[in-house]
Amino acid sequence: MTADLFARLTERQSSQEVMAEGAVLLRGFVGKAEAELIAALRDIVGAAPFRHMVTPGGHQMSVAMTNCGNAGWVTDRTGYRYHAVDPESGKPWPTMPLLLRDLAERAAGRAGFGGFAPDVCLINRYLPGAKMSLHQDKDELDFAAPIVSVSLGLPAIFLFGGLKRSDKPRRFRLEHGDIAVWGGPSRLFFHGVAPLADGEHPIMGSQRLNLTFRKIR
Ligand code: SIN
Ligand code: FE2
């Protein structure tokens, strides 16, 4: 490998972009964990398959979801909440693999949030056209801990606004292997994902997966 190529790879691996105060985009941070991460996801999805949940307003979400960890985020006609068992199977959610927890902890640390100990990982699957409307992550009890968000597969436009729903969101392109972290002053910022553009990712195919690590208690 030439010195020049090595320099560029290192640069890509460590490139960081500040999205707001307390919010950082770590480009390519997944790095060498990629293959093991994808294998671990396959096991989780085998035990707790993706499903389209229904919002309290009665709309079926375009994003399909599952979880791993001590609890999982669920929504149905009665509201949003964290639940210790998968309502589809009646069994506990799959355990959060150490590899995932470690990746999230390292990313949080890099973003300035040392000692992050997530207890839940919500896994979202976007097929082309799927989107996530602007919302705040506020079903957790502990807002001192950040949200750590890992992107795999097709690129997406992440919308990152402010504390008010009406704050105009900035747009960030999230690619395979990127990790976004938001906490501190931006922990409750409104965010969402624009409709996923069609495409084919060489490893993940025609989809985007997103993992958000949270500390809920
Ligand atoms: C979320 O806000 O839960 C998902 C964010 C994303 O898919 O990038
Ligand atoms: Fe969110």
Side-chain angles (χ1 to χ4, degrees):
M1 193 190 299
T2 67
D4 182 46
L5 178 57
F6 182 72
R8 270 188 286 132
L9 283 177
T10 319
E11 196 182 308
R12 155 102 189 139
Q13 262 178 16
S14 64
S15 124
Q16 298 188 14
E17 194 173 329
V18 174
M19 299 195 293
E21 200 188 337
V24 193
L25 178 43
L26 306 168
R27 298 226 176 255
F29 194 87
V30 169
K32 291 199 291 281
E34 179 194 41
E36 264 187 272
L37 172 60
I38 293 169
L41 284 170
R42 202 163 287 139
D43 291 345
I44 292 166
V45 170
F50 285 115
R51 79 289 309 266
H52 291 274
M53 298 189 201
V54 174
T55 65
H59 298 286
Q60 191 180 69
M61 299 185 75
S62 61
V63 175
M65 300 177 166
T66 187
N67 293 273
C68 67
N70 297 337
W73 187 87
V74 294
T75 174
D76 59 21
R77 292 304 293 245
T78 67
Y80 308 122
R81 64 195 172 279
Y82 285 100
H83 203 55
V85 299
D86 175 351
E88 296 279 311
S89 67
K91 292 191 295 205
W93 295 100
T95 306
M96 187 187 302
L98 203 56
L99 171 95
L100 271 67
R101 205 189 130 107
D102 174 65
L103 179 65
E105 188 189 337
R106 284 191 292 113
R110 177 68 69 85
F113 302 97
F116 179 51
D119 42 16
V120 170
C121 174
L122 169 65
I123 305 163
N124 295 142
R125 185 194 66 196
Y126 298 73
L127 300 183
K131 67 180 172 72
M132 186 155 319
S133 310
L134 283 181
H135 66 278
Q136 291 169 296
D137 292 350
K138 58 176 186 187
D139 301 322
E140 303 73 34
L141 293 176
D142 182 5
F143 296 142
I147 300 287
V148 172
S149 159
V150 178
S151 291
L152 293 172
L154 289 176
I157 301 297
F158 184 56
L159 309 167
F160 199 64
L163 281 175
K164 297 196 298 283
R165 187 180 287 278
S166 57
D167 290 333
K168 188 172 190 292
R170 294 177 63 199
R171 298 163 72 87
F172 298 90
R173 187 181 155 94
L174 297 183
E175 291 187 30
H176 181 80
D178 291 348
I179 302 190
V181 180
W182 60 96
S186 52
R187 173 64 180 74
L188 291 173
F189 275 20
F190 278 89
H191 59 277
V193 177
L196 195 76
D198 215 342
E200 183 72 20
H201 185 272
I203 299 164
M204 304 298 294
S206 190
Q207 61 174 346
R208 168 179 188 254
L209 298 189
N210 172 262
L211 290 67
T212 46
F213 293 87
R214 301 120 185 268
K215 178 162 166 39
I216 66 162
R217 310 205 158 86

